[in-house]
Amino acid sequence: MNHFEQNKIKVGISSCLIGFKVRFDGGHKRSGYCEKVLSSFFDFQPICPEMGIGLGTPRKTIRLVRSADEVIKVVASDGSFDVTDKLRDFAQQTSADLNHISGYIFCAKSPSCGMERVTVYKEGGNQGARDGIGLYAQQIMQDHPLLPVEEDGRLNDTKLRENFITRVLAFHKWQSLMADGVSKHALTTFHAEHKYLLMAHDPNTYKSLGPLLGQNELALEQTAEQYIKGFMAALKHIPTRKGHTNTLQHLQGYFKKQLNSQQRVDLAEQIDKYRQGLLPLMAPITLIKHYLTQYPDDYLSQQVYLNPHPEELKLRYEH
């Protein structure tokens, strides 16, 4: 059992995605990736808000409806009942008890759980626009703006998948740091360990966060609050090939005195082939990690960029 498995991270999830038969038709919407892969590393907390407010299963379908005065309600598709207030109350009560989770996976398109592009119907008709957010998901995201969230379908995209898992693990590390008590040393250590991860995701934010930690004008708690806002916003950016290449070249610089001429050529070629799209990201990173075992460097060994998530997930082999 590896480090990630020993320390399973608590993540919220729509119950139907891990096989609970809670959907309107008595079925589920099982995500094989969540159930068979991520469950080895995440301790899922399943929640179904529609069951939570007592709708039961099977049940009539519900939908988002926009009234003439632009108020969005959650009602039965046949208009026979309105569960807006019940759902909002459930969302508020549940949200207040979710400070311990480090991420959330929502069920796409759901009027309760969809995080984006949920159909909102015009009142009294069947025409709608896909510009809504599930009422429950909206409350969770509003109350926990730093919380990494994703939808089941979007996890099929390898870049979105890696980005979400990277954010969950980084946020969990931050939560652990806060639980132990914030200190200047803890903040600077966290920033140092995530230097190259930040550089790959958003170099401009990386450049601004260092000086933030160096100032003495704000109270420590305020500094920490501003830092993590910038940090999590930066990680939302999907790293580009250019961003990774720049980061890899910075890492390459640490070995210029230790490597012989052939080793330097090999590493430079691996990075350039990645830049051209001829090799996956894992190739130059594996070589850097190999050189790190030959020429140990404490600072580089602590870099989250080199090991941001479990190797078993194979998240860097496809790009």
Side-chain angles (χ1 to χ4, degrees), residues 166-195:
T166 298
R167 286 187 290 131
V168 169
L169 294 171
F171 188 53
H172 175 69
K173 191 167 185 178
W174 176 264
Q175 289 173 309
S176 299
L177 182 155
M178 290 294 105
D180 290 339
V182 63
S183 69
K184 193 80 168 181
H185 175 71
L187 288 178
T188 54
T189 299
F190 182 90
H191 181 64
E193 292 173 348
H194 291 85
K195 172 181 177 176

Side-chain angles (χ1 to χ4, degrees), residues 218-238:
L218 298 176
L220 190 58
E221 290 76 12
Q222 290 177 296
T223 300
E225 184 179 344
Q226 285 194 18
Y227 178 86
I228 194 59
K229 283 181 180 178
F231 179 87
M232 294 307 297
L235 290 198
K236 279 188 177 181
H237 292 269
I238 305 292

Side-chain angles (χ1 to χ4, degrees), residues 33-303:
Y33 187 72
C34 291
E35 190 175 52
K36 297 177 183 177
V37 180
L38 292 184
S39 60
S40 295
F41 307 96
F42 292 164
D43 179 11
F44 284 128
Q45 180 171 335
I47 300 170
C48 176
E50 293 172 32
M51 292 289 282
I53 62 172
L55 288 182
T57 184
R59 58 180 177 271
K60 291 181 179 180
T61 57
I62 57 175
R63 58 168 56 172
L64 296 180
V65 173
R66 182 180 282 113
S67 64
D69 56 358
E70 294 298 309
V71 173
I72 293 180
K73 299 179 179 180
V74 187
V75 302
S77 297
D78 63 2
S80 59
F81 58 81
D82 183 325
V83 293
T84 308
D85 292 339
K86 281 187 177 181
L87 199 54
R88 183 172 287 115
D89 288 345
F90 176 85
Q92 291 173 346
Q93 292 167 13
T94 303
S95 179
D97 292 327
L98 291 180
N99 291 319
H100 63 288
I101 65 171
S102 303
Y104 209 119
I105 301 174
F106 292 111
C107 178
K109 302 178 183 178
S110 163
S112 58
C113 291
M115 62 176 258
E116 63 177 22
R117 295 179 296 164
V118 179
T119 301
V120 183
Y121 293 88
K122 289 184 178 180
E123 197 167 32
N126 282 317
Q127 290 184 321
R130 294 179 63 190
D131 60 358
I133 301 173
L135 193 64
Y136 170 79
Q138 186 174 40
Q139 188 72 50
I140 301 303
M141 293 189 291
Q142 176 184 305
D143 292 348
H144 306 273
L146 301 179
L147 186 70
V149 298
E150 198 47 274
E151 288 185 335
D152 56 311
R154 284 166 50 93
L155 289 176
N156 293 322
D157 181 301
T158 55
K159 289 186 177 181
L160 293 177
R161 177 190 299 174
E162 184 194 357
N163 183 262
F164 172 68
I165 294 171
T166 298
R167 286 187 290 131
V168 169
L169 294 171
F171 188 53
H172 175 69
K173 191 167 185 178
W174 176 264
Q175 289 173 309
S176 299
L177 182 155
M178 290 294 105
D180 290 339
V182 63
S183 69
K184 193 80 168 181
H185 175 71
L187 288 178
T188 54
T189 299
F190 182 90
H191 181 64
E193 292 173 348
H194 291 85
K195 172 181 177 176
Y196 290 108
L197 188 69
L198 278 170
M199 184 182 289
H201 282 257
D202 186 352
N204 290 329
T205 299
Y206 159 70
K207 291 175 184 176
S208 68
L209 288 180
L212 172 64
L213 295 183
Q215 60 80 40
N216 295 307
E217 298 172 3
L218 298 176
L220 190 58
E221 290 76 12
Q222 290 177 296
T223 300
E225 184 179 344
Q226 285 194 18
Y227 178 86
I228 194 59
K229 283 181 180 178
F231 179 87
M232 294 307 297
L235 290 198
K236 279 188 177 181
H237 292 269
I238 305 292
T240 61
R241 193 171 292 274
K242 180 181 178 181
H244 276 306
T245 300
N246 176 56
T247 303
L248 292 167
Q249 289 170 339
H250 273 81
L251 294 172
Q252 180 184 21
Y254 282 87
F255 297 101
K256 58 186 177 184
K257 292 183 179 179
Q258 291 95 336
L259 303 184
N260 61 42
S261 58
Q262 186 57 54
Q263 288 174 321
R264 286 196 292 271
V265 168
D266 290 344
L267 181 52
E269 284 185 349
Q270 291 264 300
I271 294 173
D272 195 55
K273 284 184 177 180
Y274 164 72
R275 180 187 65 80
Q276 298 177 59
L278 301 175
L279 284 176
L281 178 60
M282 200 64 200
I285 284 183
T286 298
L287 187 55
I288 287 172
K289 288 163 75 172
H290 169 67
Y291 288 153
L292 194 52
T293 61
Q294 292 184 310
Y295 311 103
D297 183 293
D298 290 341
Y299 183 70
L300 281 194
S301 296
Q302 297 301 314
Q303 287 303 314

Side-chain angles (χ1 to χ4, degrees), residues 14-32:
S14 296
S15 301
C16 58
L17 298 181
I18 51 173
F20 286 79
K21 295 180 179 180
V22 295
R23 285 175 63 77
F24 70 94
D25 57 1
H28 56 71
K29 196 183 176 186
R30 180 182 285 116
S31 162

Side-chain angles (χ1 to χ4, degrees), residues 1-20:
M1 182 176 287
N2 65 32
H3 169 75
F4 290 104
E5 289 173 312
Q6 289 174 338
N7 299 273
K8 280 192 176 184
I9 294 171
K10 293 189 180 298
V11 171
I13 192 168
S14 296
S15 301
C16 58
L17 298 181
I18 51 173
F20 286 79

